[in-house]
Coordinates of all heavy atoms in Angstrom, one line a residue:
G1 N 0.8 -1.2 0.0 CA 0.0 0.0 0.0 C 0.8 1.3 0.0 O 2.1 1.2 0.1
E2 N 0.2 2.3 -0.2 CA 0.8 3.6 -0.2 C 1.2 4.1 1.2 O 0.4 4.0 2.1 CB -0.2 4.6 -0.8 CG 0.4 6.0 -1.0 CD -0.7 7.0 -1.6 OE1 -1.6 6.5 -2.3 OE2 -0.6 8.2 -1.3
K3 N 2.4 4.6 1.4 CA 2.8 5.2 2.7 C 2.1 6.5 2.9 O 2.2 7.4 2.0 CB 4.3 5.3 2.7 CG 4.8 5.7 4.1 CD 6.3 5.6 4.1 CE 6.8 6.0 5.5 NZ 8.2 5.8 5.7
V4 N 1.5 6.7 4.1 CA 0.8 7.9 4.4 C 1.6 8.6 5.6 O 1.9 7.9 6.6 CB -0.6 7.6 4.8 CG1 -1.3 8.9 5.3 CG2 -1.4 7.0 3.7
E5 N 1.8 9.8 5.5 CA 2.4 10.6 6.6 C 1.4 11.0 7.6 O 0.3 11.5 7.3 CB 3.2 11.8 6.1 CG 3.9 12.5 7.2 CD 4.8 13.7 6.6 OE1 5.3 13.5 5.5 OE2 4.9 14.7 7.4
I6 N 1.7 10.7 8.9 CA 0.8 11.0 10.0 C 1.2 12.3 10.6 O 2.3 12.5 11.0 CB 0.7 9.9 11.0 CG1 0.3 8.6 10.4 CG2 -0.1 10.3 12.2 CD1 0.4 7.4 11.3
E7 N 0.3 13.3 10.6 CA 0.6 14.6 11.2 C 0.5 14.5 12.7 O 1.3 15.1 13.4 CB -0.3 15.6 10.7 CG -0.1 15.9 9.2 CD -1.0 17.0 8.7 OE1 -1.5 17.8 9.5 OE2 -1.1 17.1 7.5
S8 N -0.5 13.9 13.3 CA -0.7 13.8 14.7 C -1.7 12.8 15.1 O -2.6 12.5 14.4 CB -1.0 15.2 15.3 OG -2.3 15.4 15.6
I9 N -1.5 12.3 16.3 CA -2.5 11.3 16.9 C -2.7 11.8 18.4 O -1.7 12.0 19.1 CB -1.9 9.9 17.0 CG1 -1.7 9.4 15.5 CG2 -2.9 9.0 17.7 CD1 -1.1 8.0 15.5
D10 N -3.9 12.0 18.7 CA -4.3 12.4 20.1 C -5.3 11.4 20.6 O -6.3 11.1 20.0 CB -4.9 13.8 20.1 CG -4.0 14.9 19.7 OD1 -2.9 14.9 20.1 OD2 -4.4 15.8 18.9
Y11 N -5.0 10.9 21.8 CA -5.9 10.0 22.5 C -6.6 10.8 23.6 O -6.0 11.4 24.4 CB -5.1 8.8 23.2 CG -4.5 7.9 22.2 CD1 -3.2 7.9 21.9 CD2 -5.3 6.9 21.7 CE1 -2.6 7.0 21.0 CE2 -4.7 6.0 20.8 CZ -3.4 6.0 20.5 OH -2.8 5.1 19.6
S12 N -7.9 10.8 23.6 CA -8.7 11.5 24.6 C -9.9 10.6 25.0 O -10.4 9.8 24.1 CB -9.3 12.8 24.0 OG -8.3 13.6 23.6
F13 N -10.3 10.6 26.2 CA -11.4 9.9 26.7 C -12.2 10.7 27.7 O -11.7 11.5 28.3 CB -11.1 8.5 27.2 CG -10.3 8.5 28.5 CD1 -10.9 8.4 29.7 CD2 -8.9 8.5 28.5 CE1 -10.2 8.4 30.9 CE2 -8.2 8.5 29.6 CZ -8.8 8.5 30.9
F14 N -13.5 10.3 27.8 CA -14.4 11.0 28.7 C -15.2 9.9 29.4 O -15.7 9.0 28.8 CB -15.4 11.9 27.9 CG -16.5 12.4 28.7 CD1 -16.3 13.4 29.6 CD2 -17.8 12.0 28.5 CE1 -17.3 13.9 30.4 CE2 -18.9 12.5 29.3 CZ -18.6 13.5 30.2
T15 N -15.3 10.0 30.7 CA -16.0 9.0 31.5 C -17.3 9.7 32.0 O -17.3 10.6 32.8 CB -15.2 8.5 32.7 OG1 -14.0 8.0 32.3 CG2 -15.9 7.5 33.5
A16 N -18.4 9.2 31.5 CA -19.7 9.8 31.8 C -20.3 9.3 33.1 O -21.0 9.9 33.8 CB -20.7 9.5 30.6
G17 N -20.0 8.0 33.4 CA -20.5 7.5 34.7 C -19.6 6.3 35.1 O -18.7 5.9 34.3
T18 N -19.7 5.9 36.3 CA -18.8 4.9 36.8 C -19.3 3.5 36.7 O -18.6 2.5 36.9 CB -18.3 5.2 38.2 OG1 -19.5 5.1 39.1 CG2 -17.7 6.5 38.3
G19 N -20.6 3.3 36.5 CA -21.2 2.0 36.5 C -20.9 1.2 37.7 O -20.5 0.0 37.7
N20 N -20.9 1.8 38.9 CA -20.6 1.2 40.2 C -19.1 0.9 40.3 O -18.8 0.1 41.2 CB -21.5 0.0 40.5 CG -22.9 0.3 40.7 OD1 -23.2 1.4 41.2 ND2 -23.8 -0.5 40.2
A21 N -18.3 1.5 39.5 CA -16.8 1.2 39.6 C -16.1 2.5 40.2 O -14.9 2.6 40.0 CB -16.3 0.9 38.2
G22 N -16.9 3.3 40.9 CA -16.3 4.6 41.4 C -15.0 4.4 42.2 O -14.0 5.1 41.8
P23 N -14.9 3.5 43.2 CA -13.7 3.4 43.9 C -12.5 2.9 43.0 O -11.4 3.4 43.2 CB -14.0 2.3 45.0 CG -15.5 2.4 45.1 CD -16.0 2.8 43.8
T24 N -12.8 2.1 42.1 CA -11.7 1.6 41.2 C -11.2 2.8 40.3 O -10.0 3.0 40.1 CB -12.2 0.5 40.3 OG1 -12.7 -0.6 41.1 CG2 -11.2 0.0 39.3
I25 N -12.2 3.6 39.8 CA -11.8 4.7 38.9 C -11.0 5.7 39.8 O -10.0 6.3 39.3 CB -13.0 5.3 38.3 CG1 -13.5 4.4 37.2 CG2 -12.7 6.7 37.7 CD1 -14.8 4.8 36.5
V26 N -11.4 6.0 41.0 CA -10.7 7.0 41.8 C -9.3 6.4 42.1 O -8.3 7.2 42.0 CB -11.5 7.2 43.1 CG1 -10.6 8.0 44.1 CG2 -12.8 8.0 42.8
S27 N -9.2 5.2 42.4 CA -7.8 4.6 42.7 C -6.9 4.7 41.5 O -5.8 5.0 41.6 CB -8.0 3.1 43.1 OG -8.7 3.0 44.3
A28 N -7.5 4.3 40.3 CA -6.7 4.4 39.1 C -6.3 5.8 38.8 O -5.1 6.1 38.4 CB -7.5 3.8 37.9
T29 N -7.2 6.8 39.0 CA -6.8 8.2 38.8 C -5.7 8.6 39.7 O -4.8 9.3 39.2 CB -8.1 9.0 38.9 OG1 -9.1 8.6 38.0 CG2 -7.8 10.5 38.7
F30 N -5.7 8.3 40.9 CA -4.7 8.6 41.8 C -3.3 8.1 41.4 O -2.3 8.7 41.5 CB -5.0 8.2 43.3 CG -5.9 9.2 44.0 CD1 -7.1 8.8 44.5 CD2 -5.5 10.5 44.2 CE1 -7.9 9.7 45.1 CE2 -6.3 11.4 44.8 CZ -7.6 11.0 45.3
L31 N -3.3 6.8 40.9 CA -2.1 6.2 40.4 C -1.6 7.0 39.2 O -0.4 7.2 39.0 CB -2.3 4.7 40.1 CG -2.5 3.8 41.3 CD1 -2.9 2.4 40.8 CD2 -1.2 3.8 42.1
L32 N -2.5 7.3 38.3 CA -2.1 8.0 37.0 C -1.6 9.4 37.4 O -0.7 9.9 36.7 CB -3.3 8.1 36.1 CG -3.7 6.8 35.4 CD1 -5.1 7.0 34.7 CD2 -2.7 6.4 34.4
L33 N -2.1 10.1 38.4 CA -1.7 11.4 38.8 C -0.2 11.4 39.4 O 0.4 12.4 39.4 CB -2.6 12.0 39.8 CG -4.0 12.4 39.3 CD1 -4.9 12.9 40.4 CD2 -3.8 13.6 38.2
A34 N 0.3 10.2 39.7 CA 1.6 10.0 40.3 C 2.6 9.5 39.2 O 3.7 9.3 39.5 CB 1.6 9.1 41.5
T35 N 2.1 9.3 38.0 CA 2.9 8.7 36.9 C 3.2 9.7 35.8 O 2.3 10.4 35.3 CB 2.1 7.5 36.3 OG1 1.7 6.6 37.3 CG2 2.9 6.8 35.2
P36 N 4.5 9.9 35.5 CA 4.8 10.8 34.4 C 4.1 10.4 33.1 O 3.9 9.2 32.9 CB 6.3 10.7 34.2 CG 6.8 10.2 35.5 CD 5.7 9.3 36.1
V37 N 3.7 11.4 32.3 CA 3.0 11.2 31.1 C 4.0 11.1 29.9 O 4.8 12.0 29.7 CB 2.0 12.3 30.8 CG1 1.2 12.0 29.5 CG2 1.0 12.5 32.0
I38 N 4.0 9.9 29.2 CA 4.8 9.8 28.1 C 4.1 10.4 26.8 O 3.0 10.0 26.5 CB 5.1 8.3 27.8 CG1 5.9 7.7 29.0 CG2 6.0 8.1 26.5 CD1 6.0 6.2 28.9
T39 N 4.8 11.3 26.2 CA 4.3 12.0 25.0 C 5.4 11.9 24.0 O 6.6 11.7 24.3 CB 3.8 13.4 25.2 OG1 5.0 14.2 25.5 CG2 2.8 13.5 26.4
F40 N 5.0 12.1 22.7 CA 6.0 12.2 21.6 C 5.7 13.4 20.8 O 4.5 13.6 20.4 CB 5.9 10.9 20.8 CG 6.5 9.7 21.4 CD1 5.7 9.0 22.3 CD2 7.8 9.3 21.2 CE1 6.3 7.9 22.9 CE2 8.4 8.2 21.9 CZ 7.6 7.5 22.7
M41 N 6.7 14.1 20.4 CA 6.6 15.3 19.5 C 7.7 15.1 18.5 O 8.8 15.0 18.8 CB 6.8 16.6 20.3 CG 6.6 17.8 19.4 SD 5.0 18.0 18.7 CE 4.0 18.4 20.1
N42 N 7.2 15.0 17.2 CA 8.2 14.8 16.1 C 9.0 13.6 16.3 O 10.2 13.6 16.0 CB 9.0 16.0 15.9 CG 8.2 17.3 15.5 OD1 7.2 17.2 14.8 ND2 8.6 18.4 16.1
G43 N 8.4 12.5 16.9 CA 9.1 11.2 17.1 C 10.0 11.2 18.3 O 10.7 10.2 18.6
I44 N 10.1 12.3 19.1 CA 11.0 12.4 20.2 C 10.2 12.3 21.5 O 9.2 13.0 21.7 CB 11.8 13.7 20.2 CG1 12.7 13.7 18.9 CG2 12.7 13.8 21.5 CD1 13.3 15.0 18.7
R45 N 10.6 11.3 22.4 CA 9.8 11.2 23.6 C 10.0 12.4 24.5 O 11.1 12.9 24.7 CB 10.3 9.9 24.3 CG 9.7 9.7 25.7 CD 10.2 8.4 26.3 NE 9.7 8.3 27.7 CZ 9.7 7.2 28.4 NH1 10.0 6.1 27.8 NH2 9.2 7.2 29.6
Q46 N 8.9 12.8 25.1 CA 8.9 13.9 26.1 C 8.1 13.5 27.3 O 6.8 13.3 27.1 CB 8.4 15.2 25.5 CG 9.1 15.7 24.3 CD 8.5 16.9 23.7 OE1 7.4 17.3 24.0 NE2 9.2 17.5 22.8
D47 N 8.7 13.3 28.4 CA 7.9 13.0 29.6 C 7.4 14.3 30.2 O 8.1 15.3 30.3 CB 8.8 12.2 30.7 CG 9.1 10.8 30.2 OD1 8.7 10.4 29.1 OD2 9.8 10.1 31.0
K48 N 6.1 14.3 30.6 CA 5.5 15.5 31.1 C 4.8 15.2 32.4 O 4.5 14.1 32.8 CB 4.5 16.1 30.1 CG 5.2 16.5 28.8 CD 4.2 17.2 27.9 CE 4.9 17.6 26.6 NZ 4.0 18.4 25.8
E49 N 4.5 16.3 33.1 CA 3.7 16.2 34.4 C 2.3 15.8 34.1 O 1.7 16.4 33.2 CB 3.8 17.5 35.2 CG 5.2 17.8 35.7 CD 5.6 16.8 36.8 OE1 4.8 16.5 37.7 OE2 6.8 16.4 36.8
P50 N 1.7 14.9 34.9 CA 0.3 14.6 34.7 C -0.6 15.8 35.1 O -0.2 16.6 35.9 CB 0.1 13.4 35.6 CG 1.1 13.5 36.6 CD 2.3 14.2 36.0
W51 N -1.8 15.7 34.5 CA -2.9 16.7 34.8 C -2.5 18.1 34.5 O -2.8 19.1 35.2 CB -3.3 16.6 36.3 CG -4.8 17.0 36.4 CD1 -5.3 18.1 37.0 CD2 -5.9 16.2 36.1 NE1 -6.6 18.1 37.0 CE2 -7.1 16.9 36.4 CE3 -6.1 15.0 35.5 CZ2 -8.4 16.5 36.2 CZ3 -7.4 14.5 35.3 CH2 -8.5 15.3 35.6
T52 N -1.8 18.3 33.4 CA -1.4 19.6 32.8 C -1.9 19.7 31.4 O -2.5 18.8 30.9 CB 0.2 19.8 32.9 OG1 0.8 18.7 32.1 CG2 0.7 19.7 34.3
E53 N -1.6 20.8 30.8 CA -2.0 21.1 29.4 C -3.4 20.8 29.1 O -3.8 20.1 28.1 CB -1.0 20.3 28.5 CG 0.4 20.7 28.7 CD 1.3 20.0 27.7 OE1 0.9 19.6 26.6 OE2 2.5 19.9 28.0
M54 N -4.3 21.4 29.9 CA -5.8 21.2 29.6 C -6.1 21.7 28.2 O -5.6 22.7 27.7 CB -6.6 22.0 30.6 CG -8.1 21.7 30.6 SD -9.1 22.5 29.4 CE -9.1 24.2 30.0
R55 N -7.0 20.9 27.5 CA -7.5 21.3 26.2 C -8.9 20.9 26.2 O -9.3 20.0 26.9 CB -6.7 20.8 25.1 CG -6.6 19.3 25.0 CD -5.5 18.8 24.0 NE -5.4 17.4 24.0 CZ -6.1 16.6 23.2 NH1 -7.0 17.0 22.4 NH2 -5.9 15.3 23.3
E56 N -9.7 21.4 25.2 CA -11.1 21.1 25.1 C -11.2 20.1 23.9 O -10.6 20.4 22.8 CB -11.9 22.3 24.8 CG -13.4 22.1 24.9 CD -14.1 23.4 24.9 OE1 -14.3 24.0 23.8 OE2 -14.5 23.9 25.9
V57 N -11.9 19.1 24.0 CA -12.1 18.1 23.0 C -13.6 17.9 22.7 O -14.4 17.8 23.7 CB -11.6 16.7 23.4 CG1 -11.9 15.6 22.3 CG2 -10.0 16.8 23.5
D58 N -14.0 17.9 21.4 CA -15.4 17.7 21.1 C -15.6 16.3 20.9 O -15.1 15.6 19.9 CB -15.7 18.5 19.8 CG -17.2 18.5 19.4 OD1 -18.0 17.7 20.1 OD2 -17.6 19.3 18.6
F59 N -16.4 15.7 21.7 CA -16.7 14.2 21.7 C -18.0 13.9 20.9 O -18.5 12.8 20.9 CB -16.9 13.7 23.1 CG -15.6 13.6 23.8 CD1 -15.2 14.6 24.7 CD2 -14.7 12.5 23.6 CE1 -13.9 14.5 25.3 CE2 -13.5 12.4 24.3 CZ -13.1 13.4 25.2
G60 N -18.5 14.9 20.2 CA -19.6 14.7 19.3 C -21.0 15.0 19.9 O -21.1 15.3 21.1
N61 N -22.0 14.8 19.1 CA -23.4 14.9 19.6 C -23.7 14.1 20.9 O -23.2 12.9 20.9 CB -24.4 14.6 18.5 CG -24.4 15.6 17.4 OD1 -23.9 16.7 17.5 ND2 -24.8 15.1 16.2
G62 N -24.4 14.6 21.8 CA -24.8 13.9 23.0 C -23.8 14.1 24.1 O -24.2 14.0 25.3
I63 N -22.5 14.4 23.8 CA -21.6 14.6 24.9 C -21.0 16.0 24.8 O -21.0 16.8 25.7 CB -20.4 13.6 24.8 CG1 -20.9 12.2 25.1 CG2 -19.3 14.0 25.8 CD1 -19.9 11.1 25.0
G64 N -20.7 16.4 23.6 CA -20.2 17.8 23.3 C -18.8 18.0 23.7 O -18.0 17.1 23.8
K65 N -18.4 19.3 23.9 CA -17.1 19.6 24.3 C -16.8 19.4 25.7 O -17.6 19.8 26.6 CB -16.8 21.1 23.9 CG -16.8 21.3 22.4 CD -16.6 22.7 22.0 CE -16.6 22.9 20.5 NZ -16.4 24.3 20.1
K66 N -15.7 18.8 26.1 CA -15.3 18.6 27.5 C -13.8 18.9 27.6 O -13.0 18.7 26.7 CB -15.5 17.1 27.8 CG -16.9 16.6 27.7 CD -17.8 17.3 28.8 CE -19.2 16.8 28.7 NZ -20.1 17.5 29.5
P67 N -13.4 19.4 28.8 CA -12.0 19.6 29.1 C -11.3 18.3 29.3 O -11.9 17.4 30.0 CB -12.0 20.5 30.3 CG -13.3 20.2 31.0 CD -14.3 19.8 29.9
V68 N -10.1 18.1 28.9 CA -9.3 16.9 29.1 C -7.9 17.4 29.5 O -7.4 18.5 29.2 CB -9.2 16.0 27.9 CG1 -10.6 15.4 27.5 CG2 -8.6 16.7 26.7
W69 N -7.2 16.5 30.3 CA -5.9 16.8 30.8 C -5.0 15.6 30.5 O -5.4 14.5 30.3 CB -5.9 17.1 32.3 CG -6.6 18.3 32.7 CD1 -6.0 19.5 33.0 CD2 -8.0 18.5 32.9 NE1 -6.9 20.5 33.4 CE2 -8.2 19.9 33.3 CE3 -9.1 17.7 32.8 CZ2 -9.4 20.4 33.6 CZ3 -10.3 18.3 33.1 CH2 -10.5 19.6 33.5
L70 N -3.7 15.9 30.6 CA -2.7 14.8 30.3 C -2.7 13.8 31.4 O -2.6 14.1 32.6 CB -1.3 15.4 30.2 CG -0.9 16.1 29.0 CD1 0.5 16.6 29.1 CD2 -1.0 15.2 27.7
L71 N -2.9 12.5 31.1 CA -2.7 11.4 31.9 C -2.0 10.3 31.1 O -2.1 10.2 29.9 CB -4.0 10.8 32.4 CG -4.8 11.6 33.5 CD1 -6.1 11.0 33.8 CD2 -4.0 11.7 34.8
D72 N -1.2 9.5 31.8 CA -0.4 8.4 31.1 C -1.4 7.4 30.4 O -2.4 7.1 31.0 CB 0.5 7.7 32.1 CG 1.6 6.9 31.4 OD1 2.1 7.4 30.4 OD2 1.8 5.8 31.8
N73 N -1.0 7.0 29.2 CA -1.8 6.1 28.5 C -0.8 5.1 27.8 O 0.0 5.5 27.0 CB -2.6 6.8 27.4 CG -3.5 5.9 26.5 OD1 -3.2 4.8 26.4 ND2 -4.5 6.5 26.0
P74 N -0.9 3.8 28.1 CA 0.1 2.8 27.5 C 0.0 2.7 25.9 O 0.9 2.2 25.3 CB -0.3 1.5 28.1 CG -1.7 1.7 28.7 CD -1.8 3.1 29.0
D75 N -1.1 3.2 25.4 CA -1.2 3.2 23.9 C -0.3 4.2 23.2 O 0.1 4.0 22.1 CB -2.7 3.6 23.5 CG -3.7 2.5 23.8 OD1 -3.3 1.3 23.9 OD2 -4.8 2.9 24.0
V76 N 0.2 5.2 24.0 CA 1.1 6.2 23.4 C 2.5 5.6 23.0 O 2.9 5.7 21.8 CB 1.3 7.4 24.3 CG1 2.3 8.4 23.8 CG2 -0.1 8.1 24.4
P77 N 3.2 5.0 23.9 CA 4.5 4.4 23.5 C 4.3 3.2 22.5 O 5.1 3.0 21.6 CB 5.2 3.9 24.8 CG 4.1 3.9 25.8 CD 3.0 4.9 25.4
T78 N 3.2 2.4 22.7 CA 3.0 1.3 21.8 C 2.8 1.9 20.3 O 3.3 1.3 19.4 CB 1.7 0.6 22.2 OG1 1.9 0.1 23.5 CG2 1.4 -0.6 21.3
T79 N 2.0 2.9 20.2 CA 1.8 3.5 18.9 C 3.1 4.1 18.3 O 3.4 3.9 17.1 CB 0.8 4.7 19.0 OG1 -0.5 4.1 19.5 CG2 0.5 5.3 17.6
A80 N 3.9 4.7 19.2 CA 5.2 5.3 18.7 C 6.1 4.1 18.2 O 6.8 4.3 17.2 CB 5.9 6.0 19.8
M81 N 6.1 3.0 18.9 CA 6.9 1.9 18.5 C 6.5 1.3 17.2 O 7.3 0.9 16.3 CB 6.9 0.7 19.6 CG 7.7 1.1 20.8 SD 7.9 -0.2 22.1 CE 6.7 -1.4 21.7
Y82 N 5.2 1.3 17.0 CA 4.6 0.8 15.7 C 5.0 1.7 14.5 O 5.3 1.3 13.4 CB 3.1 0.6 15.8 CG 2.5 0.2 14.5 CD1 2.5 -1.1 14.1 CD2 1.8 1.1 13.7 CE1 1.9 -1.6 12.9 CE2 1.3 0.7 12.5 CZ 1.3 -0.6 12.1 OH 0.7 -1.0 10.9
L83 N 4.8 3.0 14.8 CA 5.1 4.0 13.7 C 6.6 4.2 13.4 O 6.9 4.6 12.3 CB 4.4 5.3 14.1 CG 2.9 5.3 14.1 CD1 2.4 6.7 14.6 CD2 2.3 5.0 12.8
N84 N 7.4 4.0 14.4 CA 8.9 4.1 14.3 C 9.6 2.9 14.8 O 10.2 3.0 15.9 CB 9.3 5.4 15.0 CG 8.7 6.7 14.5 OD1 8.8 7.0 13.3 ND2 8.0 7.3 15.4
P85 N 9.5 1.8 14.1 CA 10.0 0.5 14.6 C 11.5 0.5 14.9 O 12.0 -0.3 15.7 CB 9.6 -0.5 13.6 CG 9.4 0.3 12.3 CD 9.0 1.6 12.8
N86 N 12.3 1.4 14.3 CA 13.7 1.4 14.5 C 14.1 2.3 15.7 O 15.3 2.4 16.0 CB 14.4 1.9 13.3 CG 14.2 1.0 12.1 OD1 14.1 -0.2 12.3 ND2 14.0 1.6 10.9
E87 N 13.2 3.0 16.3 CA 13.5 3.8 17.5 C 12.8 3.2 18.7 O 11.7 2.7 18.7 CB 13.0 5.2 17.3 CG 13.6 5.9 16.1 CD 13.1 7.3 15.9 OE1 12.6 7.9 16.9 OE2 13.2 7.8 14.7
K88 N 13.5 3.3 19.9 CA 12.9 2.8 21.1 C 12.3 4.0 21.9 O 13.0 5.0 22.1 CB 14.0 2.1 22.0 CG 14.4 0.9 21.4 CD 15.3 0.1 22.3 CE 15.7 -1.2 21.7 NZ 16.4 -2.1 22.6
P89 N 11.1 3.9 22.3 CA 10.4 5.0 23.1 C 11.0 5.2 24.4 O 11.5 4.5 25.1 CB 9.0 4.6 23.1 CG 8.8 3.2 22.7 CD 10.1 2.8 22.1

């Protein structure tokens, strides 16, 4: 197939309810707040402080625009490894 250049990938999520998993979500959030956030800019890893760089994301009809903050996500280094297999994140 044709090689396509990727300009940017952003992972964002919104939790509308806990489904009775409130204590688990709170525990996981506290752990994420103590974990540096792995980000990549132009293929270069940059570790950042969690819960910084607030931005607004439009999640579409029914949810709308919501504020989001940086939290660690294991999909970020995995994606970087896939897109740049010769570089280690």
